[in-house]
Amino acid sequence: MSNSLRVLDHGRRNDIDVVGATHLDLDIKGDGNTVYVGRQGHDSGGPCIRIVGSGNTVRIGALTGFEAQTEMRICGDGNLLEIGNRCRGRFSIDVEDASALRIGDDTSSIGTQIAAGEGRQVVIGRDCMFSVDVWIATTDSHGIFDLESGERINFARDVTIGDHVWLARDAKVLKGSQIGPGSVIGAAAVVSGAIPENCVAVGSKARVIRTNIRWKRDRAKDAESSGNAPGFQARASGSIE
């Protein structure tokens, strides 16, 4: 949590460029890490970045507006965290075990936890909108083993979320999930497989209930929504911004 600029470098040969940051709490314990934070937006209240390990890369774009509660934790060696321009809101991020997290420009969150681990990656597109209590992970965090063979059966898998995806309150996106661009995932839905583009999916396990839709951040219908335009307007609730 930060309302000022604080940088603690406990390692060697760390390349730190945060000249554009005004609200940042950065603590590095390790060597050969690269951290770049672009010029922050006027509404930025954080984030807090903790790196324990070596050879990690963190790149955060310009004009971001993270809330002060945003935390980014990098653990181990060879991890990558990339966040695009104008991203905003509150995130809790863990990247470990030589894994990667990439978030596209203009993505927002009210309260999203993201865990990239076991050498896998989470890729999130541009202009996504995530509500509160959203969970995205490549891993179950704990091992499950077959009783007879002793072999592990719950291996980590990549997660891909396309451009302009809306994850509603309490949505869960589990390992191996793929969500196509323009789709809406309903409140408390659990995604564990492939969801196509431009659809609404709800439930546990998430299932498609409407196709050929588009959505926007406000409720107003525009010229493209009238006449012969297909689909319907996904209505935003006051709890999603």
Side-chain angles (χ1 to χ4, degrees), residues 56-141:
N56 299 289
T57 300
V58 175
R59 287 193 289 265
I60 299 177
L63 300 178
T64 54
F66 295 112
E67 295 183 14
Q69 295 89 347
T70 290
E71 296 185 351
M72 304 175 185
R73 294 169 291 271
I74 313 297
C75 185
D77 303 335
N79 296 288
L80 172 65
L81 171 60
E82 288 185 338
I83 299 178
N85 300 321
R86 298 175 301 279
C87 291
R88 59 197 184 276
R90 185 169 73 250
F91 293 83
S92 177
I93 289 171
D94 290 279
V95 186
E96 59 184 20
D97 306 324
S99 301
L101 168 59
R102 295 178 172 89
I103 302 177
D105 296 343
D106 301 301
T107 288
S108 65
S109 163
I110 296 178
T112 299
Q113 291 182 276
I114 305 174
E118 298 192 62
R120 312 305 282 184
Q121 66 174 351
V122 176
V123 178
I124 297 170
R126 299 165 55 99
D127 190 37
C128 291
M129 183 175 73
F130 301 158
S131 185
V132 68
D133 294 329
V134 169
W135 170 255
I136 303 167
T138 66
T139 172
D140 298 331
S141 298

Side-chain angles (χ1 to χ4, degrees), residues 143-158:
I144 301 175
F145 302 87
D146 182 88
L147 279 176
E148 293 184 2
S149 68
E151 297 295 324
R152 187 179 171 193
I153 59 175
N154 64 327
F155 293 103
R157 298 172 63 193
D158 295 341

Side-chain angles (χ1 to χ4, degrees), residues 220-236:
K221 181 163 58 174
D222 56 27
E224 295 180 37
S225 302
S226 60
N228 297 322
F232 72 95
Q233 175 99 8
R235 296 182 62 84

